[in-house]
Amino acid sequence: MEIAPIASAVNPDAVPFGCRRQARTDTRGQETGMTATGTNATRSQVGRVLLTGSTGYIGGRLAPELLARGYELTCLVRSRRKLDGRDWAVDPRVSLVECDVRDVETVRGAALGCIHAYYLLHAMESGSHDFADRDRDLARKFASAIRETDIQRVVYLGGLGELGSGLSDQLRSRREVESIL
């Protein structure tokens, strides 16, 4: 299994082999981005991705881009209601699995058939001092859950910073999670 930095995982200019880019518009005719069209923009040609953090800022923007490139998505969410109003969440290629990511068996079941996973989780809630312990626990359970699946690559959103000793608690936690995954 490979850990890849998020910047290299989704190239905005890339489309599935045999596809072309086409402007995507909303119901008012306003351009909203690009999409992949063509014979290879089908589910069987690209694969299924396990996406955590889809209700967050980055995950909520990544999901429609992955769909535009022809991927199917399995999104792990704590609450489906957080995706109300997001057009991509009702796409027939999206499966929503409401769960606690610490539930290894549920995550393992959701990961079956996925070829890649995006780990966009963190435990840095406001005012919490035990975030590093919770980050490690989430990462260990996620790693355990996907270990016996077909996932070939985990894309992890870490933090910017040095690799040396002077890291903040948050960046040190991000590096620990990276090594766990």
Side-chain angles (χ1 to χ4, degrees):
M1 183 181 324
E2 175 184 359
I3 300 289
I6 198 160
S8 69
V10 176
N11 176 348
D13 297 320
V15 295
F17 178 76
C19 297
R20 65 185 181 288
R21 293 176 60 80
Q22 177 177 322
R24 186 172 60 237
T25 58
D26 63 17
T27 55
R28 296 181 309 272
Q30 300 290 322
E31 187 171 312
T32 60
M34 302 299 283
T35 190
T37 62
T39 57
N40 286 347
T42 64
R43 59 162 104 196
S44 62
Q45 295 294 323
V46 180
R48 179 169 283 279
V49 170
L50 182 66
L51 178 60
T52 65
S54 62
T55 62
Y57 182 83
I58 293 170
R61 285 152 180 77
L62 178 62
E65 292 301 321
L66 290 169
L67 290 167
R69 285 163 179 74
Y71 289 96
E72 290 184 322
L73 300 178
T74 297
C75 300
L76 302 180
V77 297
R78 284 181 289 182
S79 171
R80 292 171 191 256
R81 288 186 302 153
K82 288 186 175 185
L83 293 176
D84 287 351
R86 298 199 190 191
D87 294 339
W88 63 264
V90 296
D91 187 296
R93 297 170 297 159
V94 175
S95 298
L96 301 178
V97 178
E98 199 170 52
C99 71
D100 182 332
V101 174
R102 294 171 295 184
D103 180 347
V104 173
E105 292 307 314
T106 301
V107 173
R108 182 174 292 126
L112 293 176
C114 294
I115 58 170
H116 305 302
Y118 283 81
Y119 189 86
L120 306 178
L121 303 177
H122 62 83
M124 290 177 48
E125 283 116 23
S126 176
S128 176
H129 299 289
D130 65 342
F131 68 88
D133 291 335
R134 289 184 298 132
D135 268 343
R136 282 190 295 273
D137 184 50
L138 284 170
R140 284 183 183 122
K141 290 193 172 145
F142 184 81
S144 174
I146 65 168
R147 190 167 288 122
E148 309 264 334
T149 68
D150 293 330
I151 291 178
Q152 301 162 11
R153 173 184 283 183
V154 175
V155 180
Y156 169 63
L157 179 60
L160 299 174
E162 306 256 337
L163 296 174
S165 60
L167 297 178
S168 69
D169 292 342
Q170 291 80 10
L171 287 176
R172 191 172 21 264
S173 175
R174 301 281 74 204
R175 296 289 184 203
E176 286 181 66
V177 168
E178 179 181 350
S179 68
I180 291 167
L181 292 173

